[in-house]
Amino acid sequence: MVKVNSTKATSSLGGAVHGGLDKNIYLAEVPNTPGIDLRVDPTSPAFTAVNQALGLFLNPQVGSVVRKNADCIVSQDQQPSADGISALCLGPDWWLLTGTADIASLLRPVQDTHHISIVDVSAQRTKIEIYGPKVKEILGHVWEQDLRDSTFPIDACTQGLMAKSPVILWHCCENCYLIFVRSSFAQHLWDVIADATVEYL
Amino acid sequence: MLNIPCPYCGPRDETEFHYGACANIFYPEPASATDEEWSKFVFIRENPKGWHAERWVHSAGCRRWFNVWRNTITHEFGPTYKPFTEQPKRPA
Amino acid sequence: MSNVTFKFDGVDYVGQAGDSLATALLRNGVLHFTDSTYRDRPRGIMSLWVDEPNALVNVDSGAGEPMVPATTVEITEGLVARSLAGIGDLPDTRDISRYDRAYRHADVLVVGAGLAGLTEAKKYADKGKTVIIMDDQPEVGGHAKQCGEVIPPELLASLTLENVTHLQRTTVIGTYDQGYAVAVERRTDHVSSKVSTDVARIRTWHVRAKHTVLATGAFQRPLVFANNDRPGIMLSHAAATYVERGVSKFKTAVVVTVDNQGYTDAIRLHKSGVRVLAIVDIRKKLSKASIKLARKPAEKLGIRILKGATALDTNGNLDGILSSVVVTDPKSGLNETISTDLLAISGGWTPTVHLATYIGIKPTWSNKRAAFIVRSKVKSISAVGMLAGDFVELEPAVYFGTELDETQALVAFVDHQRDATLRDLRRAVGAGMVSIEHVKRYTAIGTAHDQGKTSGTLTMGLIGNLVGLALDEIGSLTFRPPYIAVPFAALAGRERGLHTEPIRTTSIHPWHIAAGAPMEDVGQWKRPWFFPKPGEDLHAAVLRECRAARNGVAVMDASTLGKIDIQGKDAGEFLDQIYTNMFSTLKVGMSRYGLMCGVDGMVFDDGVTTRLGENHWLMTTTTGGAAKVMDWLEEWLQTEWPHLEVFCTSVTEQIATVAIVGPKSRDLLAMLSPGLDVSKEGFAFMENKYADVAGIPARIARISFSGELAYEINVSAWYGLELWNKVMELGAPLDVTPYGTESLHVLRAEKGFVIVGQETDGTQTPDDLGMDWIVSKKKDFIGKRSFSRSDTSRPDRHQLVGLLPDTSAFVIPEGSYFAEEQHKGATPPIPHIGYVTSSYFSGELNRSFAMALVHNGRARIGDRVAIGNETAVITEPIFVDKENVRRDG
C-alpha cells in the first residue's frame, strides 16, 4: 500500500469542511484514507486463513461492520490506535477493509496459498464524515434508503446511490455517518450535500 | 419506483438494479448448438402476462445476480432464488 | 384577524389573513369570477377546494403559477392574481425559487388528516409505528373541521409524538408500487407573496411505507339541469362553509338535494342568517332515521320542504348571475319559479378515489351510497372514512338530474371546464359510445385541469340513464397521477443546472481548469477538449497539439478509462472467453489490446489488459463502458461459471494515468525516471515496468493510441496531479504539449483505430471493422458462435473503410449518410449505402479525412460516393504511417 507523502498527495476535496461541530451539521473530508477491497469466499478455507491473519472475524452478512481497535474518535485528544481495522461487508464475498493497520501486508501471505483478492482502493474512494443533530434530516434530502435506526443502526453499512453517486454509507456512531464516495463523484456529492444544509445552518 | 427484494441486502429501489431479462435461459454449448438453438438463446424470450421468472443484478449494491418471480401486471414480487438453486413454485 | 391587501384582475381588495382567495373575493362580493373557455358563459366560485372547476387564476406574484384554483390559494400581502378563461400563461421569467426533495421510510403513511385519518394515525402511532400523515389543507380536521366540529384533543396530541411526521399543505400526487408515494408540500406561498430562494418553496416528498391508509374523503357533485352553471350556484357544503366564514353576499337561498347533506347545509345557512326559502328534495319517502335526523329539524326551523321535486332550470340577471330557480316535479305537475341569491346543490358525495385507482384498485359502486367507494382487497392498502363509504346514513338517491329536452340539454353542463353538456353526452351515446373511457375521449369530459373531480360520477350516472345500464356495468373510473397540477421545478428539486447529473472529474482536473481548457462531456465525465493558447480556436489548437504529438512530445490525462482488477488462477481462462483473442498465453508484464463481443457476436467494448502477475490482471475498458463491462464479467462468473477462481474489483478511480506521446517521449521518460532503461530494446512495445516516476511509485506501459512512440504512466490517483505537474515541469525544455479529446480522436483516426461507440453501435462484428486479425481461430469465446449465423457471415455487410473527400478542405459532418456517386446533388429520396462514423481535418495530411461504414466496403476501395453536392473516394481505413514504424520512435 502506498504510504502517504503529504507534500505530494492530493484528495478530491482538499480536506474541505462545512458547517461546525457545534452546529446542526458538520461535514468534513477525511482525506487520503487507506482502504483495501477484499474478496474471499466465506465458505472456503481461505476465509479462516483471512480471519486468522487479520485477527478479526469477518461477518459475511451484507451490511454488517466488524471492528478491532477502531472505536470512533469522540474528542480531540483521542488518538487512533496503530493497528485498527474496520471491515464493512459489501457483498457475500466482498469487504472494504480500512484502518490504521497495514492490512495488505497482513493479507499477502494468505494469497500465497489461498484464492483471495486484495486490491488497494485507497484512492478509489474518498471519505466524508457527516455529523450533527440534524444529520438524518439532511441525509434524507439526498439518500433514498431507510435511515431509521431500527433499519440502519450503529455499525450498519450499505451501498447505494447518493445524489446519483456510488457510495458506501456507514452509520459509525450516534448522529455520525461516514460516506465513502467514488473519488470522481466526490465534488458533485459534496456540493449537493452542502446545498442540502442551507435551511439547517 | 419498484422496490426489489435483493436476497442479500433486503428491499431496495429499482434504480439500484439492472434488469437481466428471463431467468432459466439455458446457455447452449456453442460448438454443438444448431443455428436455431443458438438464435433462440440469443434472441427469443417469453413475454408472459402475469408471473414471470426473471433476473436482476444489484449493480449499485452487492453486485450479485439473482432470480425472482415478478408479476408483470401487478408488479408484485414473489420469492427470489439464487443462481444454481431450485426455482420456487410459480406464485398463485 | 389581520387584514391582507391583494390584487385581483387589477383591482385591490382587502381580505382576512387565513382566507383562501375564493373566500376573500366572495367576502368582497365578487360573484362573476370569469367566463367559460369555449362558450363565454359567466361563471362563479362553485366549491371549496381542488375540485373547483370555474375559479382558476394565474398567480403573477412570487414564482408565478398558471391555472391554480382560487380555492387553494391562500392570500398574502401583495398577492397578484388574474382570473382565467381556461388557459393560463407560463411565467416568462426563470423560476429561481428554491425547491427540494426529501425521502422518508415509514411503517404507515396516512393520506388525509380528517377525523378518519387522524384516528388511524393515532392507532398506529400509539403502537410505536413510524407514521407519516399528510393532508393537503392548511388545517387539520378536513370535512369535520369545515363543518365547525371540534377535533378531539387526543387525536391532535398524537400528531406531536416523536414517531409521527405530520405535514399539512402537502398533497399526495401519486401512489405507486410497493407502498411508494410522492407528495408536494407547499411551504412558503401562504407566508409571503415574494419569491423564496433560501427556503424551499415546495418540498417534494418521496415516501416508502409498508402500509398506506387512504383517508382522502369525498367531494360533492352537482346536478344536471338547464343553466346549472350560473354564478350564485354552489355545492351546498361549500356554500354553507363560505357563509359561516362571513361571506354576507347571499340573503336568500334555495337548497336542491338528493341526500340528507342538503338539510345539514340548509340548517347551517339558516343559522348564519340566510333565509332558506326551500329545500327541494328529489326523495319523496325517507327512512325514519332520516326523517328524524334531517327533515324534522329543518321543518322545525320553518323551512319549506318540496318532496319529490328537483331543479329544472335557472334564470339570471342581465349579467347572467343567478336570479331565480325553476323547480319541477313532473309527477305532480309542480312548476314553480323561486327568486333566490344562492342555489346550493347537494347532488351526492363522490369519494376521492384517485390514489386508490393509481395502484390498480377498482372502486365499487354502492347503490346505498350512490357512489363509487374504495374497498381495498390489497393487504398493504386500507381505505377509511368517506372514501370507504362512511356516509350511508345520508341516504342519497341515485339521481343525476331531471328529464330535459334538446334545448335544455344544450345548457345543462356536465363538465364546466370543457363546457361539455348533456347534449354532448347524448351525441356520444348516439354514436355508439358506452364505456366511460370512450365517452371521455369523444366529449373531452374529465380531461381538463380538474381531471373530472366533479364530473366523473355524474357522467357515469348520466350514461347509465341514457343506455339503461347500471353504474357498475359501465366500466370504472381510471385516473392517472399527478392528482393536481405540479410545477416541473418541484419534481426536479435540487436536480437543476450543475446538479442535474453528477459531474465526474479526475485528480488532474484542477490543472485543466487553471489552464483554461474547454471541457467536453464524455458521459458524466468532464475531459479537457483542447488546450488553446491565447488567440487559438479549436482548429488551431488541435493542429498544434497533433503536431506536437507526431513531432515532439505531448501529454494527455487518460485517467477516465474504466479499470478492473482481476485476480485468481482461472483469470486467464476467463479472459480467453471474454475477449476474442488469446490472453492466457500473455507473459507476465505484458499488455495486449482486446475486443469484447456480446453473445450476438457484436462488438461492445475494447481495451488494453495487462498481466501484472501469474494470477493478477488489470483490464481497461472504454470510459463509458466501465460499469457495463463490470456487470458483464460478474454475470458470467456468477450465473454461468461460478467454478472459476476469479475475483473482479473496480479500480477506475484508484489509478491516474498520464500518457506521454511522441518521438521525444522517450527522452521525457528518461528525465522523469532516471535509471530506467528506456531504450528501444530495453523497453519493448506493450511491455510494463515498475519504477519511480518523478519520485512517485508507478507502473509504466509502452502503449500507443496514436501510432507514435508513447508511454502510459500509472500512479495512485493521490499523486495524479503531482505527476502531471512534474511532467509539465521537466518536459518544458521539450515543449511538452498538453492535448485534449479532440486531438486524441484525430490522432487515432489517422491510424484507423476504432473507438467503440463511435465506429460501433452494437451492430458491428469484428470482421465488419476489419479486425478479423484479432479473432482467435483456436479457441471458443463469447459471441463466436454468432459469427457463423447467415446474416452475420454475409459478405456484403457494412464494413469499415476510409473516405477522402475530393474537396480536401471539406470535413464531412459525422453521421452523414452517403449514396452512389451518380446521386451527387440529387434530391431525396435516394438509397444510402453507408454513413460516416468519424471525420476530421488532419494537420499531418493537410486535408480532411473520415472513417465510414459502407455496404460491401472492402470490395469498393477506389470507388466514389456522393454526400450531398460533394464526393469522396473510398480508401483503406488508415491514413498516416501505414507501415506502423513510428511506434518505436
Side-chain angles (χ1 to χ4, degrees):
Chain A
M1 200 140 59
V2 183
K3 290 219 162 56
V4 183
N5 180 330
S6 57
T7 59
K8 289 183 186 167
T10 60
S11 68
S12 308
L13 298 165
V17 169
H18 180 78
L21 285 165
D22 54 339
K23 301 215 167 82
N24 273 329
I25 199 71
Y26 172 75
L27 210 59
E29 186 198 27
V30 183
N32 305 121
T33 304
I36 297 276
D37 262 19
L38 166 71
R39 300 286 302 271
V40 58
D41 176 357
T43 65
S44 72
F47 190 62
T48 316
V50 163
N51 287 340
Q52 277 169 357
L54 294 175
L56 181 62
F57 283 114
L58 296 179
N59 185 343
Q61 174 61 46
V62 177
S64 65
V65 179
V66 180
R67 310 192 207 199
K68 185 181 88 159
N69 299 334
D71 296 330
C72 284
I73 302 294
V74 178
S75 74
Q76 303 283 44
D77 37 51
Q78 273 178 285
Q79 283 303 309
S81 70
D83 63 346
I85 305 177
S86 298
L88 283 68
C89 186
L90 307 179
D93 60 3
W94 180 18
W95 284 263
L96 169 64
L97 302 173
T98 183
T100 48
D102 188 349
I103 297 168
S105 302
L106 293 173
L107 287 174
R108 247 178 248 117
V110 179
Q111 199 166 39
D112 292 339
T113 44
H114 294 278
H115 170 50
I116 66 172
S117 168
I118 307 164
V119 180
D120 181 2
V121 290
S122 308
Q124 170 83 349
R125 307 178 184 96
T126 192
K127 194 162 91 171
I128 298 173
E129 204 171 49
I130 181 167
Y131 164 81
K134 291 290 180 189
V135 65
K136 284 194 179 66
E137 280 94 330
I138 289 165
L139 282 176
H141 288 295
V142 298
W143 184 238
E144 300 181 44
Q145 291 183 27
D146 193 349
L147 283 170
R148 293 176 294 173
D149 283 340
S150 51
T151 316
F152 197 62
I154 288 173
D155 268 355
C157 72
T158 177
Q159 287 195 90
L161 296 166
M162 190 180 281
K164 301 183 183 176
S165 311
V167 302
I168 300 165
L169 183 69
W170 174 12
H171 186 180
C172 57
C173 48
E174 183 82 25
N175 279 342
C176 187
Y177 297 78
L178 292 170
I179 304 168
F180 294 84
V181 57
R182 294 262 292 241
S183 307
S184 66
F185 291 88
Q187 188 63 59
H188 161 80
L189 179 61
W190 180 270
D191 291 343
V192 169
I193 299 177
D195 171 81
T197 65
V198 153
E199 287 184 27
Y200 300 86
L201 284 172
Chain B
M1 173 70 85
L2 290 176
N3 204 220
I4 301 177
C6 172
Y8 303 94
C9 305
R12 293 291 178 83
D13 286 346
E14 66 180 280
T15 45
E16 293 188 14
F17 299 82
H18 284 142
Y19 182 58
C22 298
N24 313 315
I25 300 292
F26 167 62
Y27 178 48
E29 177 57 47
S32 55
T34 62
D35 274 1
E36 202 192 321
E37 283 167 347
W38 186 255
S39 290
K40 191 157 176 275
F41 160 70
V42 176
F43 299 114
I44 309 300
R45 294 290 181 270
E46 297 273 305
N47 186 17
K49 183 176 178 182
W51 288 102
H52 179 231
E54 55 191 34
R55 307 185 308 160
W56 290 87
V57 58
H58 194 185
S59 1
C62 61
R63 286 224 170 105
R64 301 316 289 182
W65 283 84
F66 60 95
N67 307 301
V68 63
W69 282 104
R70 178 178 63 96
N71 189 303
T72 60
I73 307 172
T74 63
H75 295 303
E76 266 179 276
F77 280 91
T80 61
Y81 56 108
K82 296 174 184 174
F84 302 102
T85 63
E86 197 180 313
Q87 181 183 62
K89 252 180 33 193
R90 173 191 301 269
Chain C
M1 282 267 108
S2 57
N3 284 346
V4 173
T5 314
F6 64 95
K7 224 189 214 21
F8 175 69
D9 279 349
V11 176
D12 288 320
Y13 292 94
V14 175
Q16 285 176 14
D19 275 353
S20 68
L21 180 57
T23 305
L25 289 172
L26 284 170
R27 225 192 264 293
N28 281 276
V30 175
L31 280 187
H32 177 196
F33 194 96
T34 186
D35 293 330
S36 71
T37 313
Y38 304 96
R39 291 176 61 176
D40 282 327
R41 291 178 65 94
R43 295 278 165 80
I45 294 160
M46 205 174 105
S47 69
L48 268 180
W49 192 233
V50 293
D51 54 327
E52 172 58 43
N54 299 326
L56 296 186
V57 295
N58 216 87
V59 176
D60 291 328
S61 49
E65 203 168 319
M67 301 186 70
V68 191
T71 48
T72 64
V73 175
E74 292 177 68
I75 56 169
T76 49
E77 192 64 36
L79 175 78
V80 177
R82 247 176 316 126
S83 64
L84 290 177
I87 302 172
D89 300 315
L90 289 172
D92 53 14
T93 52
R94 246 185 105 230
D95 183 357
I96 56 167
S97 313
R98 186 180 170 86
Y99 295 90
D100 74 11
R101 195 185 289 175
Y103 300 95
R104 282 294 184 277
H105 291 246
D107 293 319
V108 184
L109 170 67
V110 178
V111 185
L115 279 179
L118 288 171
T119 305
E120 286 295 296
K122 178 175 163 59
K123 183 178 96 186
Y124 288 109
D126 285 348
K127 287 192 202 154
K129 304 284 182 196
T130 45
V131 176
I132 299 176
I133 176 166
M134 292 176 164
D135 186 281
D136 62 352
Q137 305 260 2
E139 282 178 356
V140 163
H143 182 82
K145 181 85 195 292
Q146 284 162 359
C147 293
E149 286 176 41
V150 174
I151 309 299
E154 63 270 16
L155 292 183
L156 295 176
S158 62
L159 295 174
T160 58
L161 291 173
E162 213 207 321
N163 51 326
V164 176
T165 304
H166 169 223
L167 297 163
Q168 292 295 130
R169 296 186 174 88
T170 303
T171 309
V172 175
I173 56 167
T175 46
Y176 307 92
D177 299 301
Q178 285 103 30
Y180 206 74
V182 177
V184 288
E185 177 194 4
R186 292 173 300 285
R187 301 171 80 236
T188 65
D189 284 353
H190 62 286
V191 173
S192 159
S193 64
K194 293 195 175 59
V195 172
S196 178
T197 53
D198 298 328
V199 174
R201 174 186 175 224
I202 295 176
R203 173 165 292 162
T204 303
W205 292 83
H206 289 236
V207 175
R208 179 79 69 183
K210 279 251 280 300
H211 187 89
T212 305
V213 176
L214 300 175
T216 48
F219 291 126
Q220 270 190 314
R221 58 180 178 268
L223 290 167
V224 172
F225 48 90
N227 293 299
N228 62 338
D229 65 327
R230 295 187 194 280
I233 302 176
M234 288 190 173
L235 296 166
S236 66
H237 171 69
T241 306
Y242 283 125
V243 166
E244 280 170 353
R245 285 178 187 169
V247 168
S248 56
K249 180 78 179 169
F250 308 112
K251 302 287 180 270
T252 56
V254 170
V255 177
V256 176
T257 187
V258 310
D259 59 8
N260 296 344
Q261 184 68 41
Y263 291 80
T264 308
D265 297 328
I267 291 167
R268 288 167 68 194
L269 287 168
H270 175 95
K271 287 201 173 135
S272 298
V274 176
R275 199 152 61 92
V276 181
L277 301 172
I279 297 174
V280 181
D281 186 351
I282 191 61
R283 304 167 301 170
K284 258 204 143 72
K285 286 183 119 207
L286 283 189
S287 67
K288 283 210 187 90
S290 290
I291 291 173
K292 184 165 169 235
L293 276 171
R295 279 231 172 113
K296 282 252 152 40
E299 281 165 351
K300 255 216 203 114
L301 295 171
I303 300 174
R304 181 182 170 209
I305 302 178
L306 296 170
K307 299 173 194 167
T310 189
L312 173 67
D313 198 344
T314 66
N315 296 301
N317 63 13
L318 286 171
D319 297 318
I321 295 177
L322 177 75
S323 61
S324 63
V325 57
V326 179
V327 170
T328 185
D329 176 359
K331 289 214 187 86
S332 71
L334 170 71
N335 189 308
E336 186 183 327
T337 302
I338 308 174
S339 293
T340 180
D341 294 334
L342 168 67
L343 180 58
I345 313 287
S346 179
W349 286 101
T350 299
T352 314
V353 302
H354 308 66
L355 299 184
T357 67
Y358 295 161
I359 36 182
I361 296 175
K362 286 191 174 6
T364 48
W365 176 254
S366 163
N367 260 326
K368 278 208 297 201
R369 297 164 177 83
F372 283 98
I373 63 173
V374 175
R375 284 269 148 85
S376 172
K377 293 198 184 76
V378 178
K379 240 183 20 175
S380 57
I381 314 277
S382 50
V384 297
M386 291 187 81
L387 176 68
D390 202 3
F391 54 93
V392 69
E393 71 282 0
L394 296 177
E395 209 179 315
V398 178
Y399 186 77
F400 304 100
T402 189
E403 280 297 307
L404 298 174
D405 64 33
E406 274 301 282
T407 319
Q408 291 163 333
L410 184 55
V411 291
F413 290 87
V414 177
D415 181 330
H416 291 60
Q417 289 200 336
R418 288 296 185 208
D419 275 336
T421 63
L422 179 61
R423 179 153 169 270
D424 295 317
L425 268 185
R426 285 177 180 170
R427 278 171 62 201
V429 171
M433 312 283 159
V434 171
S435 137
I436 178 75
E437 290 298 330
H438 290 157
V439 171
K440 190 173 160 176
R441 283 152 179 83
Y442 189 84
T443 60
I445 287 173
T447 62
H449 178 272
D450 67 347
Q451 291 285 289
K453 288 179 174 66
T454 37
S455 60
T457 300
L458 203 52
T459 308
M460 293 188 69
L462 292 166
I463 293 173
N465 290 345
L466 287 169
V467 302
L469 283 174
L471 271 133
D472 48 11
E473 292 173 287
I474 296 170
S476 64
L477 297 158
T478 321
F479 298 99
R480 290 178 181 83
Y483 174 67
I484 53 166
V486 179
F488 277 110
L491 298 175
R494 305 308 298 147
E495 287 173 21
R496 295 172 66 152
L498 291 174
H499 291 172
T500 312
E501 276 290 310
I503 292 173
R504 295 179 71 177
T505 55
T506 71
S507 57
I508 305 166
H509 189 75
W511 196 96
H512 305 321
I513 295 298
M519 292 286 146
E520 188 189 6
D521 291 331
V522 183
Q524 293 169 325
W525 292 92
K526 292 285 184 195
R527 297 192 71 178
W529 191 16
F530 58 104
F531 290 87
K533 289 213 156 113
E536 279 185 338
D537 61 4
L538 169 66
H539 183 78
V542 169
L543 283 176
R544 178 180 50 78
E545 290 172 12
C546 289
R547 193 164 47 240
R550 297 228 181 270
N551 299 288
V553 59
V555 60
M556 201 215 25
D557 179 1
S559 305
T560 62
L561 256 52
K563 301 169 210 59
I564 301 174
D565 180 292
I566 305 177
Q567 295 179 23
K569 74 177 202 326
D570 298 323
E573 178 187 336
F574 179 57
L575 290 172
D576 282 349
Q577 282 291 323
I578 293 292
Y579 281 123
T580 63
N581 48 335
M582 291 297 289
F583 273 82
S584 55
T585 52
L586 188 62
K587 286 201 178 62
V588 173
M590 297 302 287
S591 299
R592 180 170 289 169
Y593 170 73
L595 207 59
M596 240 181 245
C597 294
V599 294
D600 59 358
M602 304 300 159
V603 173
F604 87 93
D605 210 82
D606 69 352
V608 170
T609 291
T610 302
R611 191 170 199 161
L612 301 174
E614 191 61 35
N615 299 325
H616 192 187
W617 307 71
L618 183 71
M619 173 188 282
T620 68
T621 72
T622 59
T623 296
K628 211 165 51 145
V629 171
M630 186 72 190
D631 275 358
W632 179 245
L633 299 179
E634 287 290 352
E635 181 179 352
W636 288 93
L637 288 171
Q638 291 180 35
T639 69
E640 280 303 329
W641 304 318
H643 60 282
L644 292 179
E645 285 191 2
V646 180
F647 283 127
C648 300
T649 306
S650 169
V651 286
T652 297
E653 279 122 314
Q654 170 63 23
I655 300 167
T657 307
V658 174
I660 54 175
V661 173
K664 295 192 183 151
S665 59
R666 181 173 277 132
D667 299 337
L668 178 52
L669 183 57
M671 289 194 272
L672 288 163
S673 194
L676 177 66
D677 181 359
V678 300
S679 67
K680 189 154 73 167
E681 307 72 31
F683 200 151
F685 182 60
M686 298 307 259
E687 191 181 348
N688 286 258
K689 287 178 183 289
Y690 288 92
D692 279 0
V693 174
I696 305 162
R699 173 179 59 85
I700 309 148
R702 215 192 111 190
I703 298 174
S704 177
F705 194 43
S706 56
E708 298 301 320
L709 173 68
Y711 303 86
E712 287 186 2
I713 308 166
N714 299 282
V715 298
S716 154
W718 285 354
Y719 305 103
L721 184 60
E722 168 71 7
L723 174 62
W724 182 277
N725 283 331
K726 284 289 189 230
V727 165
M728 292 306 296
E729 182 193 319
L730 292 172
L734 296 172
D735 196 22
V736 65
T737 302
Y739 69 100
T741 52
E742 191 71 22
S743 295
L744 170 74
H745 278 233
V746 175
L747 291 167
R748 64 89 203 178
E750 287 174 339
K751 295 295 295 174
F753 295 156
V754 307
I755 285 186
V756 173
Q758 179 102 11
E759 272 62 53
T760 73
D761 62 6
T763 64
Q764 289 71 35
T765 65
D767 185 68
D768 294 340
L769 300 171
M771 293 177 76
D772 198 46
W773 55 267
I774 208 176
V775 175
S776 168
K777 310 292 180 280
K778 290 189 257 170
K779 54 142 187 166
D780 185 39
F781 54 85
I782 294 168
K784 186 177 192 179
R785 178 63 183 82
S786 287
F787 294 161
S788 53
R789 286 181 56 240
S790 54
D791 188 65
T792 327
S793 53
R794 240 184 331 118
D796 65 339
R797 289 172 61 86
H798 277 59
Q799 290 157 351
L800 186 69
V801 294
L803 284 181
L804 288 176
D806 288 317
T807 306
S808 69
F810 171 57
V811 178
I812 311 171
E814 282 177 355
S816 298
Y817 281 90
F818 43 83
E820 298 289 2
E821 188 187 3
Q822 79 238 38
H823 293 302
K824 170 178 165 177
T827 46
I830 323 162
H832 75 82
I833 54 172
Y835 58 95
V836 171
T837 60
S838 297
S839 178
Y840 310 98
F841 185 87
S842 163
E844 188 73 13
L845 305 169
N846 196 27
R847 57 155 300 122
S848 64
F849 72 102
M851 293 164 76
L853 285 163
V854 182
H855 177 76
N856 207 12
R858 285 202 289 273
R860 304 199 55 178
I861 308 283
D863 287 357
R864 275 193 158 65
V865 301
I867 309 119
N869 287 314
E870 296 283 341
T871 52
V873 167
I874 299 176
T875 69
E876 298 280 352
I878 181 167
F879 308 90
V880 166
D881 182 31
K882 296 185 188 178
E883 301 76 35
N884 294 321
V885 296
R886 302 174 74 134
R887 209 176 63 187
D888 290 333

